[in-house]
Amino acid sequence: MFSGPPARTVANLLLRPGFRSRRTPDVVFDRLLADAGQTKGDEPFVDEFRFLLRCWAGAENLTPVGWLSARGHVGRHLTNRARIRRLIAEHPEIAEEPVDRPVFVVGLPRTATTLTHGVLSLSEEHRCPLLWELLTPDLELGPEQRESAITAARRLVGGIDLLTPRFRDIHGLRPEGPEECTFALPHTVMPLSQARIPEYLPWHDARDFEPDYRHLKQVYQVLQYGRPRRRWVLKSPLHLENLGALHTVFPDATIVWTHRDPATVVASFCSLVEHGMTVSTHPLDLHGIGATWLELLSRSASRGLAARAAVPRDALVDVPYSWLGSDPAAGAPKLYAAVGARWTDADAARLPQVAARPKGTRPHQYDLARYGLTRADVASAFADYDALRAEVESA
C-alpha cells in the first residue's frame, strides 16, 4: 500500500476530473446544500458557507485532494446543521438541556491542550465529545447506525494517515477518542491550515462568533439529550481568540488556559500546518506559512488577553506547560483540584495511557528558521502574552 507522497500523487491523479468543478463553486455548493437537506430560515449560516467555498475554490496552488477536502468540510457542516435544526424542531426540549459548569481547555496550540483534555477525560464524572460524535452529532444511535458513524470517522482518519503519515506523529486522531470542538465550530481559522485563502482572513477577523458558540452549545445539547448528564470537558486552541463569545454563551464555564514558550509554539504549529497542508496545497510556501501563523497565533493571544478580564478569577485556571509536560503524575491532581473535580486512584491508574506517546509515532522536530522566522520575531509579536506567561510560571 502506498503512503505519503506516492499515495498523494495517485489520489490527485484520480481526483483530477472532479477538480474542474472548482470553476463553478456555487453549483457545487447548491448540490451540497441539497444533499444536506437544509431547510429555509437559516440563510445567514448557509450564506457564510457559500462564501467560504467560493474563497476556497480560488485558493492558490490548491490540489484536487485539497478541493475534495474543501467540499467535504463545507458539506459536513451543512449536513450537521440541518440535522441539529431538525432534531430540535422534533424535540424542542433539547434546547432546554442544561450544559452546566463546562470546562473549556484553551490556549495556544502545541501548549499541551490535548494532554490536558485527555487527563481531564479520565474521570467517570466528566463527558468529553468523541471524534466520531463531533463529525456526526446525533441522538443516541442504534448499534448499526453507531457503527456506521464510527466507520466513517475511521475512514477519515485512515485517509489522513495514508496521505500525510507524519501528521499523526504530531497530532494523532482517534475515531473513538476525545477530540476538540474545532470539528463542530462552524467558522475557525483551520481552513487556512489547508489552503492560502486571503479573502477569508479579513472576513474571519471581523466576524461576530457568538452565533457559532450558540450552535456549538446545541451540538452538546443534542449529544446530551436522553443520556446521563455529566460535566462536559471541552477543548480547542481556537477558543482562545473567541473567549468573549464563549463566555457569553457559557457564562458558568471554567476556562483552563495552558501556557508554553511562544517560540516553541509557533515553530511546532508551523510544522503541523506544513505536514497537514502538503496534501492540499502544492507547492508549499514555507515562509508564507510562517508569516501567516505568526500573525494568526499572536492575534489569538492578544484577543485572549483582552477577553480574560471579563472571566471571573475563580473560573480561570492557568496551567503552565510544566504541570503536565514534565511530570503528569504530579500535575494531574493539581489540575483536578483547580477545576473542582475529584482525582481518584482509578484516574491515576489510567493516567499513563493518556500521558504516553502513542505507539509507532516518532518524536516531533521543528525549527523556526524553516519558516523564515526568528526568536526575535516571535518575542516581538508575543510581548504582552509573554509577560502573562512569566507571571504564571513564577506563581
Side-chain angles (χ1 to χ4, degrees), residues 167-209:
F167 189 85
R168 64 183 173 186
D169 295 336
I170 308 171
H171 181 75
L173 297 170
R174 293 185 297 125
E176 296 175 77
E179 208 26 88
E180 58 188 49
C181 305
T182 306
F183 289 94
L185 275 171
H187 289 279
T188 72
V189 293
M190 289 318 291
L192 301 172
S193 71
Q194 299 182 50
R196 291 178 61 84
I197 317 176
E199 302 90 342
Y200 186 61
L201 186 52
W203 178 87
H204 184 277
D205 187 35
R207 192 168 179 276
D208 175 13
F209 284 89

Side-chain angles (χ1 to χ4, degrees), residues 127-144:
R127 168 82 154 94
C128 295
L130 308 180
L131 176 58
W132 72 268
E133 293 179 311
L134 291 168
L135 292 173
T136 53
D138 207 331
L139 302 183
E140 188 74 53
L141 299 175
E144 290 186 9

